[in-house]
Amino acid sequence: MSKRKTVRLNEIYQKDPIAADKMLWDRETSTMNRRGFLKHSGLLSLSATLGMSIPFARNMPAGLIPAAYAADNAPDVIEGKEGLIVLNDRPINAETPAHLLDDEVTPNRYMFVRNNGIPPENINPETWELRIEGESCITPTTFTIDDLRARFEEVTLQLQLECGGNGRSEFAPAASGNQWTTGAVGCPTFTGVRLRDVLNFCGVAQDAVYVGYYGADTHTSGDPNLDPISRGVPITKAMERESLIAWAMNGEDIPLQNGYPLRLVCGGWPGSVSGKWINRIVMRDRVHDGEKMAPPSYTVPASPVAPGSRVPDEDMRIIESMPVKSLITFPQSGIAHDFRQRLTVRGHSWAGDDQISGVFLSIDFGGTWLPTAVASPANRLAWQSFQSWVQFPEPGYYEVWARAMDSQGRSQPMVVPGWNPRGYLNNACHRIAVQAV
Ligand SMILES: Nc1nc2c(c(=O)[nH]1)N[C@H]1C(S)=C(S)[C@@H](COP(=O)(O)O)O[C@H]1N2
Ligand SMILES: [Mo]
């Protein structure tokens, strides 16, 4: 497959999915049967474009872009983040290709970067201060990082962060914002102190309902009066034992782009609640009203809406725990594999505040699902790795799909779920292309 064709097809899908659908699936010549599956000449033309047969084509949903067409952009370079795909360079936003997320614990260099503003410069961690205040804080207090270390118990936890907009690129009509594919997720270890220990030390008033953060990054406009982002979590989430104020990631300084020298980490919720470069935390007697707390930011319709709808602010709700999801991190999509050999498949799964009850694989577009071995999480709110193998019956084009289920029995949809104005919470199954030869 030539790269040009690959990119073009995706572009056409972005701009005009119906036309792209027709082009790829040849709808006009009615090669689709009534249930929308592909037959005869449509299948032949698709096989011809892929350059191989599709043994499970009978299960292939109409209008599905084969995973083999996923755009493989050339990686750009951010210092210390080699291999990440840059989606925007002002502010810097970069995601990690799935196969680079294969480690059980995400290395610092492979942790995605999601910036709403411009990171601070010339940081001195010795003089960095974190102020705890707000109308529901009884004794406002300022801490240096050394004060935090000296006063509170040090904790190290592996915590999963995923941007609320991860997967946005698949929504149709397209949603504005960074066009994340699958790589705005990671699960490093963080070392710091419990947010609750610090809040309790400063005194949490009876009426406290929310905690908000402010960071030292600046608005892209350069206006010092504007905050790029100031979000937070309900006091109940803030008081959980896994919510941290962290100064280290994987035992090293947090990389500058990920919040050096001090960040909040509230795993399992949209990444936007985990403030970077934090210098102030406020205890609020109301839902925090900082930048990007109000709709349409980080909110979804309270009940389902038709794709493309305008949704009034009062019908939007703030995203809290993220939905169940999984990612195949081995092998890399697009590999050729000897069909007589088993193929090892592995990846990670996570479910917001919840746990995973199982991860299943399919090589026939969801006709059958095979269970995998799923590891326990290193601690609550860490992702859970899965591993298994598949065997292809004959040579041809296959896709391996992964589908996770959480402990409440909720599983990932095979197609992109509930359209919403800003394209959040796409937890559709991840799939990779394999050419069995
Ligand atoms: N101060 C500050 N905190 C921030 C952001 C930001 O732009 N500024 N981005 C948020 C968003 S939207 C996400 S998804 C995570 C990303 O964390 P990472 O860049 O370390 O992966 O940080 C959150 N915290
Ligand atoms: Mo985000």
Side-chain angles (χ1 to χ4, degrees):
M1 263 161 289
S2 82
K3 187 157 175 177
R4 260 193 89 227
K5 189 196 287 163
T6 304
V7 171
R8 257 196 55 227
L9 189 70
N10 278 283
E11 276 168 10
I12 298 167
Y13 252 96
Q14 285 288 332
K15 288 194 193 112
D16 189 349
I18 294 166
D21 217 46
K22 254 187 202 154
M23 195 178 102
L24 184 59
W25 298 86
D26 204 14
R27 277 218 163 112
E28 281 194 325
T29 52
S30 64
T31 53
M32 226 56 81
N33 70 20
R34 283 187 31 226
R35 282 146 81 215
F37 293 94
L38 192 68
K39 296 199 299 195
H40 311 304
S41 66
L43 177 57
L44 287 177
S45 57
L46 182 57
S47 297
T49 358
L50 285 168
M52 53 198 136
S53 70
I54 310 173
F56 288 114
R58 65 176 185 280
N59 291 341
M60 218 169 167
L64 178 82
I65 315 182
Y69 287 122
D72 59 332
N73 303 321
D76 303 79
V77 178
I78 301 176
E79 206 189 323
K81 296 278 179 187
E82 289 75 14
L84 267 62
I85 307 292
V86 177
L87 302 180
N88 189 349
D89 59 7
R90 193 184 162 85
I92 291 178
N93 283 277
E95 71 172 320
T96 314
H99 69 282
L100 295 184
L101 287 171
D102 196 39
D103 299 270
E104 258 166 61
V105 178
T106 309
N108 289 4
R109 67 183 183 286
Y110 292 150
M111 183 63 179
F112 75 99
V113 177
R114 196 297 185 236
N115 292 343
N116 290 265
I118 310 301
E121 284 172 10
N122 307 320
I123 295 160
N124 181 352
E126 327 244 284
T127 55
W128 189 270
E129 288 182 340
L130 174 67
R131 172 91 181 150
I132 310 289
E133 56 184 24
E135 66 272 5
S136 297
C137 175
I138 294 168
T139 316
T141 312
T142 301
F143 301 90
T144 62
I145 298 174
D146 278 344
D147 292 338
L148 295 174
R149 283 180 191 273
R151 280 216 185 109
F152 306 105
E153 185 190 345
E154 181 176 300
V155 186
T156 296
L157 293 171
Q158 191 188 354
L159 297 167
Q160 170 268 315
L161 292 182
E162 179 181 19
C163 181
N166 196 22
R168 175 179 293 132
S169 63
E170 289 190 306
F171 282 100
S176 66
N178 289 295
Q179 294 302 303
W180 303 108
T181 66
T182 59
V185 63
C187 195
T189 69
F190 291 96
T191 300
V193 293
R194 291 191 184 91
L195 174 60
R196 72 171 180 200
D197 291 349
V198 179
L199 297 180
N200 283 333
F201 181 89
C202 301
V204 182
Q206 282 288 327
D207 62 0
V209 297
Y210 229 88
V211 163
Y213 69 77
Y214 291 88
D217 47 341
T218 49
H219 198 268
T220 46
S221 65
D223 184 340
N225 299 313
L226 297 178
D227 293 318
I229 188 168
S230 168
R231 304 197 71 248
V233 290
I235 193 82
T236 45
K237 176 72 175 171
M239 297 306 255
E240 284 183 354
R241 45 186 297 116
E242 297 82 11
S243 294
L244 302 185
I245 296 172
W247 56 75
M249 197 164 124
N250 295 321
E252 294 168 23
D253 284 346
I254 298 173
L256 171 66
Q257 297 291 343
N258 300 111
Y260 177 76
L262 201 61
R263 80 171 297 170
L264 206 55
V265 188
C266 299
W269 284 39
S272 56
V273 305
S274 294
K276 304 195 281 189
W277 313 287
I278 52 167
N279 51 24
R280 193 152 61 99
I281 291 176
V282 286
M283 296 187 221
R284 305 298 315 266
D285 65 1
R286 66 203 70 183
V287 174
H288 182 54
D289 48 9
E291 186 60 30
K292 303 206 175 178
M293 281 301 297
S297 297
Y298 305 105
T299 56
V300 289
S303 40
V305 300
S309 303
R310 280 184 163 275
V311 186
D313 287 358
E314 60 273 23
D315 295 344
M316 301 286 276
R317 64 160 183 89
I318 298 173
I319 299 168
E320 299 199 330
S321 177
M322 294 284 285
V324 59
K325 199 161 170 181
S326 57
L327 187 72
I328 301 169
T329 58
F330 183 89
Q332 181 172 4
S333 186
I335 58 149
H337 176 77
D338 177 352
F339 86 100
R340 289 160 303 190
Q341 309 282 329
R342 292 172 171 184
L343 174 66
T344 295
V345 178
R346 60 174 180 257
H348 313 290
S349 54
W350 58 95
D353 282 337
D354 211 342
Q355 278 217 12
I356 293 293
S357 63
V359 180
F360 304 86
L361 298 179
S362 180
I363 58 165
D364 60 3
F365 301 100
T368 52
W369 293 95
L370 312 159
T372 67
V374 184
S376 327
N379 47 254
R380 184 170 172 260
L381 309 184
W383 66 16
Q384 295 175 247
S385 301
F386 65 87
Q387 169 142 2
S388 189
W389 51 266
V390 296
Q391 177 100 53
F392 303 107
E394 58 180 288
Y397 173 79
Y398 293 86
E399 292 187 5
V400 180
W401 292 50
R403 187 177 200 185
M405 185 182 278
D406 72 16
S407 53
Q408 295 185 49
R410 297 173 293 203
S411 66
Q412 295 181 252
M414 285 178 58
V415 294
V416 181
W419 183 92
N420 60 90
R422 283 292 168 95
Y424 296 117
L425 307 186
N426 175 7
N427 68 333
C429 292
H430 182 222
R431 53 203 175 95
I432 59 163
V434 177
Q435 186 186 344
V437 291

